[in-house]
Amino acid sequence: MSVDLDTVRRVAELARLQFQESELASLAAEMNQILSLVDQLASADVTCVLPLTHPGDPQASLRLDVAEPAQDPQTLQQLAPQTSQGYYLVPRVLE
Amino acid sequence: MSALDLPLRDLRAALASGQTHAESLYLEARERAAASAELNALLHTCAAPDLSRSGVLAGIPFVHKDNFLHAGEATTCGSNMLRNFVAPFDATVSARLRESGALCLGKANMDEFAMGSSNEHSAFGPARNPWDLTRVPGGSSGGSAALVAAGVVPFATGSDTGGSIRQPAAFCGVSGLKPSYGRVSRFGLVAYASSLDCPGVLARRAADIAEVLQVVAGHDPADATSAEQPVPDYCAALSSSVHGLRIGIPDAFFGAGIDPQVAELTMAALRQLEAMGAKLVPLAFPEAVLAIPSYYVIATAEASSNLSRFDGVRYGHRCADPKSLNDLYRRSRTEGFGAEVKRRIMLGTFALSAGYFDAYYLRALKVRRQISDAMQRMLSSVDVLAGPTAPTIAFKLGEKLSDPVAMYAADINTVAVNLAGLPALSLPCGLLDAMPVGLQLIGQRFAEARLLQVAHQYQQLTDWHARRPPTAAASTGVRP
């Protein structure tokens, strides 16, 4: 399978990344080079094989339903580029 | 010989007896770091640690890969996205090392968000291989491997998603352990691909790794994927002989793409283990041919999801004067991420997108099960699997930078281990053109003690792990 420039534009939109028009052709070429490697997956017979999402056999472990101290919101908000009165600031969404 | 060059066990004894002191060790490690500045392996020096703390690693300096949160210290992940980020809390690995009294000297250079096999994808420039400054140290834990190899610190942390501890360990001539998935908590390790990421340790000797693993291993309620498996005494197991040990040799580990001279040196090491009483068992591993395709779909898919958190809102880089929420997301991410990270996010997003999910992501997960089952099958008939860690010696800086597929091929013998969640260790087993070659040992899940034992026994009879690169010899006064 190979991707064309329109597909690369659409995937970039989904990934919230932007590329100059001049970068798109080389990005598409790189993606196609990698996809030709990945396309070897088509050669596998995976009939009746269940997907393995996680190694081992993860068990949900139980714990007591007791509140534990969480991170201090103020400490975490100090990492934010813009905050005001305990809120994270973003550009206006509704006009 | 400086106390800094002693095995960890002897170093602990020297500290306990007063032959050496935490302060002098720490200062010497800083001096060595300064003398090794040309490696570009240390991104930041941490604030002076508490030298009075007691614990099993008290007074022993180490470097931390820069994707572990270490409270109060910069954690950049080698990215402009986190150039100004200061960790607000400790990763569990950091907390356990801090409690043990180990002294964090600084944070080590790495490929951006651990995506790379050469350390060239760091926003802060590539780390260099101390054996030859024109070559890469490997990646993504390249800074950690280079600093241990150069003798700056006795051990370093690393993380391994597809070979990121073992391949740099092989390239730099040190020992590196990727534990079983779930053996060491991922809490506070910045996520790349959550079903593959594994924190681990690099040191000169397997016995040193055993000492550090003892401190960092074990269940952590803060990481639901950490295993509730008891932690054995790793040091106690080291002294057992390898007599009667069955070592499986999967054909694929010596197949296409492996430098014949690397294969030859690896086989010589295995024959040495045979002479020590181990039995070599040839095995077929045809499923390995799809390990890289499966890995690069799963890893990029998980990365595209994990890295969606970098949105310019809560932490990390934020673009100037955003016009809308989408503009904020797009420009912050585009400015903050480097080329390889963007490439992997694009691939992962594509593999997860409507119309392609079944053909790529779902299929890769099914192939992952086949690879995992094949490895379990092999390990049901032998104690460990073995082969070359990397297909070649460390390559030249820039040699593979413009060819992502050639770069991904450097992981040919390491990624299957992550897909299956198994433990694996790389140890130095020879020199080719004056560059180190690594032997990889793979074990059953939670059989880290077995890998450390085999590596330790090999290191009792060989001195490849004791060879030092010329740059380290110059800065530490130790002969190569």
Side-chain angles (χ1 to χ4, degrees):
Chain A
M1 190 172 301
S2 63
V3 292
D4 56 19
L5 293 187
D6 280 345
T7 308
V8 176
R9 281 190 201 98
R10 189 175 59 80
V11 173
E13 175 59 29
L14 289 171
R16 300 292 185 267
L17 290 170
Q18 63 187 32
F19 298 93
Q20 304 292 327
E21 277 298 308
S22 57
E23 296 174 289
L24 285 176
S26 62
L27 180 61
E30 284 167 1
M31 287 180 70
N32 284 326
Q33 199 190 351
I34 299 166
L35 286 175
S36 66
L37 171 80
V38 163
D39 279 339
Q40 293 172 41
L41 289 172
S43 68
D45 178 4
V46 290
T47 319
C48 301
V49 178
L50 292 173
L52 177 64
T53 54
H54 221 264
D57 183 22
Q59 304 279 332
S61 55
L62 299 176
R63 61 169 174 80
L64 294 176
D65 187 15
V66 177
E68 290 170 9
Q71 283 289 322
D72 168 34
Q74 277 186 338
T75 308
L76 296 181
Q77 284 211 330
Q78 281 168 9
L79 298 164
Q82 282 186 37
T83 57
S84 173
Q85 299 172 4
Y87 293 99
Y88 293 100
L89 292 188
V90 296
R92 183 181 296 276
V93 176
L94 296 174
E95 293 300 333
Chain B
M1 183 193 269
S2 155
L4 214 45
D5 301 313
L6 293 171
L8 271 190
R9 198 176 68 161
D10 298 346
L11 180 51
R12 286 169 52 193
L15 281 160
S17 68
Q19 279 174 280
T20 189
H21 302 279
E23 187 172 6
S24 60
L25 268 186
Y26 179 74
L27 290 176
E28 188 178 355
R30 284 191 66 147
E31 279 167 21
R32 287 188 177 189
S36 306
E38 62 189 352
L39 297 177
N40 193 34
L42 195 66
L43 291 180
H44 343 275
T45 303
C46 291
D50 178 3
L51 297 168
S52 64
R53 198 183 271 268
S54 57
V56 291
L57 298 176
I60 298 173
F62 74 101
V63 292
H64 221 358
K65 186 175 180 181
D66 205 21
N67 55 353
F68 286 93
L69 301 188
H70 198 68
E73 301 293 346
T75 301
T76 68
C77 289
S79 180
N80 279 323
M81 181 60 85
L82 293 175
R83 185 175 279 271
N84 300 313
F85 182 86
V86 175
F89 54 85
D90 266 346
T92 299
V93 168
S94 306
R96 289 183 179 176
L97 286 170
R98 207 189 282 271
E99 257 165 53
S100 78
L103 310 174
C104 188
L105 182 75
K107 306 294 290 292
N109 202 351
M110 56 181 283
D111 284 295
E112 185 176 4
F113 287 103
M115 298 182 196
S117 310
S118 69
N119 216 134
E120 292 170 290
H121 298 302
S122 166
F124 304 97
R128 290 167 186 274
N129 193 312
W131 290 83
D132 177 349
L133 297 176
T134 67
R135 293 180 187 270
V136 303
S140 63
S141 309
S144 301
L147 289 163
V148 172
V152 172
V153 280
F155 77 92
T157 62
S159 65
D160 191 315
T161 305
S164 282
I165 287 174
R166 293 159 285 155
Q167 185 252 26
F171 279 8
C172 291
V174 301
S175 307
L177 174 73
K178 171 228 173 282
S180 310
Y181 185 83
R183 177 75 297 179
V184 178
S185 169
R186 291 184 296 110
F187 179 73
L189 171 72
V190 178
Y192 160 18
S194 303
S195 81
L196 302 162
D197 292 343
C198 199
V201 184
L202 299 98
R204 268 165 249 153
R205 308 163 191 85
D208 297 346
I209 293 178
E211 305 248 357
V212 182
L213 183 65
Q214 201 72 54
V215 168
V216 297
H219 178 63
D220 173 17
D223 173 5
T225 62
S226 73
E228 295 195 48
Q229 194 84 2
V231 177
D233 184 340
Y234 293 114
C235 296
L238 293 173
S239 54
S240 306
S241 151
V242 296
H243 191 81
L245 181 90
R246 290 170 63 82
I247 302 177
I249 305 177
D251 52 2
F253 289 169
F254 291 86
I258 309 297
D259 180 329
Q261 289 178 285
V262 167
E264 203 172 300
L265 282 170
T266 312
M267 273 315 299
L270 290 170
R271 278 194 292 272
Q272 170 119 27
L273 283 164
E274 189 178 33
M276 291 161 64
K279 185 173 168 45
L280 305 185
V281 184
L283 295 168
F285 186 20
E287 295 84 355
V289 72
L290 293 180
I292 286 201
S294 169
Y295 170 81
Y296 274 96
V297 170
I298 294 167
T300 59
E302 293 188 19
S304 75
S305 170
N306 270 327
L307 272 64
S308 65
R309 73 192 61 184
F310 297 102
D311 55 6
V313 177
R314 290 154 299 161
Y315 43 75
H317 175 73
R318 181 184 180 106
C319 67
D321 193 24
K323 303 288 184 281
S324 66
L325 195 57
N326 259 335
D327 184 45
L328 167 68
Y329 294 156
R330 267 198 299 265
R331 280 202 292 128
S332 299
R333 291 164 62 76
T334 300
E335 291 166 10
F337 291 137
E340 179 63 18
V341 171
K342 286 182 204 167
R343 191 153 47 222
R344 295 199 193 195
I345 291 175
M346 288 291 288
L347 269 171
T349 306
F350 173 74
L352 291 176
S353 64
Y356 302 104
F357 181 90
D358 286 2
Y360 288 106
Y361 185 61
L362 196 58
R363 197 168 188 82
L365 290 179
K366 290 179 178 179
V367 169
R368 177 184 196 174
R369 182 174 296 278
Q370 290 177 319
I371 291 167
S372 177
D373 288 351
M375 296 188 87
Q376 299 291 352
R377 240 188 336 269
M378 290 191 289
L379 283 165
S380 66
S381 65
V382 295
D383 298 299
V384 296
L385 303 173
T389 307
T392 62
I393 56 168
F395 43 89
K396 293 273 187 181
L397 284 156
E399 187 180 325
K400 300 189 179 184
L401 200 51
S402 58
D403 185 351
V405 170
M407 187 76 91
Y408 298 171
D411 304 334
I412 191 164
N413 279 0
T414 49
V415 292
V417 163
N418 300 76
L419 292 172
L422 301 172
L425 186 152
S426 178
L427 68 159
C429 71
L431 290 174
L432 175 59
D433 297 336
M435 293 300 294
V437 171
L439 164 69
Q440 176 175 231
L441 302 171
I442 302 167
Q444 297 266 18
R445 195 142 184 248
F446 302 118
E448 287 80 5
R450 170 73 85 181
L451 302 181
L452 292 164
Q453 170 222 344
V454 178
H456 178 69
Q457 290 300 312
Y458 179 80
Q459 292 180 340
Q460 294 300 101
L461 292 186
T462 59
D463 71 347
W464 298 114
H465 62 286
R467 306 287 179 99
R468 303 294 292 276
T471 50
S475 60
T476 62
V478 176
R479 280 167 63 96

